[in-house]
Amino acid sequence: MNELFMTDDLIKILLVLVLGTAALIITQRSLTSLFSIYAIQSAILAAVALSLFITEGTTSLLFMAIITILSKVVIIPLFLRRLLAVMPIKRDLEFRYLTPISSIILSTVLFFVVYQAFSPLSVALEASPLFILGAVIGVSLALMGMMVIMSRKKVITKIIGYLSMENGVLLFSLFIAEMPFIIEVLIVVDLLMIIVLSAVLAFGIDSSVEEFHKRLNQLGLDSED
């Protein structure tokens, strides 16, 4: 019983850390730091899935944690850092519609609105307060990721917003709507393809055809010499 309470407390701490990383993604201007924060956020989600696996013993939670670590903590940040190494920009200083401070304030308001919307459902769904809290933070994280997409100008930063939004969907599925493992795999594959295509478009949109091929060679994405 004590171990169960300790696991619940650990999950609550991890959920608070997820919100902290979402706030950092909203305000951070350094692209290198953005990639690192996204990797940390994904690692925390993997830790939540592992904690739930220890509590419930569901094998799909273990596989979800493993694939999250491989794809979102290792592969995607590695690809983005490799892309950043040959990009002319290192920081995204431009915001539109919302400043970092107003984004944080709006995120706080959204969190309380989502919390108020989900509170009545705790009785109807017969869910524990911990599961409602996880679902609330999952939806809030998805909305904060959407806010990053709308409030930042650089495509590379919007990609991080999209990835953070997908992390919110994953967190929600961990607590409320259990996502079949195969669907999670397909989502990760789609994410990888979207990142590659978005990064290539963002990377070569301001270059000539010759410059574009040269830059692809630097990335190792062009098969031609």
Side-chain angles (χ1 to χ4, degrees):
M1 182 65 74
N2 289 333
E3 291 181 358
L4 179 62
F5 284 131
M6 287 178 63
T7 306
D8 286 354
D9 291 339
L10 174 62
I11 292 175
K12 289 176 183 175
I13 293 172
L14 293 173
L15 291 175
V16 172
L17 292 177
V18 167
L19 277 182
T21 56
L24 288 175
I25 287 176
I26 287 177
T27 58
Q28 185 57 243
R29 290 177 168 83
S30 166
L31 295 178
T32 305
S33 298
L34 272 175
F35 302 158
S36 300
I37 294 167
Y38 168 72
I40 292 170
Q41 183 184 85
S42 301
I44 295 172
L45 287 185
V48 172
L50 279 175
S51 301
L52 291 173
F53 166 71
I54 293 171
T55 304
E56 302 178 9
T58 306
T59 308
S60 62
L61 291 170
L62 177 61
F63 286 125
M64 198 173 290
I66 293 173
I67 199 169
T68 299
I69 291 173
L70 290 177
S71 62
K72 300 179 181 179
V73 180
V74 178
I75 297 176
I76 292 177
L78 188 65
F79 175 81
L80 292 173
R81 287 193 183 94
R82 188 177 179 186
L83 176 71
L84 184 63
V86 293
M87 285 181 66
I89 60 169
K90 304 299 176 188
R91 294 167 63 86
D92 182 6
L93 303 176
E94 298 178 272
F95 290 82
R96 64 179 180 183
Y97 307 129
L98 294 170
T99 64
I101 294 177
S102 59
S103 296
I104 292 296
I105 294 173
L106 181 57
S107 299
T108 306
V109 173
L110 286 174
F111 174 80
F112 283 107
V113 169
V114 174
Y115 182 79
Q116 289 299 324
F118 271 81
S119 293
L121 298 178
S122 59
V123 177
L125 297 176
E126 297 181 352
S128 70
L130 175 64
F131 276 63
I132 293 298
L133 178 64
V136 168
I137 293 181
V139 174
S140 301
L141 181 60
L143 293 175
M144 292 168 80
M146 195 181 301
M147 195 184 305
V148 172
I149 296 173
M150 292 188 299
S151 64
R152 306 299 284 267
K153 287 190 174 180
K154 302 295 184 187
V155 175
I156 193 74
T157 313
K158 291 179 182 291
I159 291 174
I160 295 297
Y162 179 81
L163 292 170
S164 182
M165 190 170 67
E166 197 276 335
N167 271 349
V169 175
L170 173 62
L171 184 60
F172 180 82
S173 72
L174 287 176
F175 286 93
I176 293 295
E178 184 177 354
M179 186 181 297
F181 178 66
I182 187 63
I183 295 179
E184 172 64 15
V185 172
L186 291 175
I187 288 176
V188 170
V189 172
D190 287 343
L191 275 178
L192 292 173
M193 293 305 297
I194 288 172
I195 287 172
V196 171
L197 292 175
S198 301
V200 168
L201 288 175
F203 186 65
I205 199 168
D206 61 342
S207 62
S208 65
V209 175
E210 292 76 13
E211 291 171 340
F212 187 63
H213 280 291
K214 186 177 179 181
R215 290 180 179 181
L216 288 182
N217 281 327
Q218 288 178 305
L219 286 172
L221 296 176
D222 192 2
S223 59
E224 297 180 1
D225 291 333

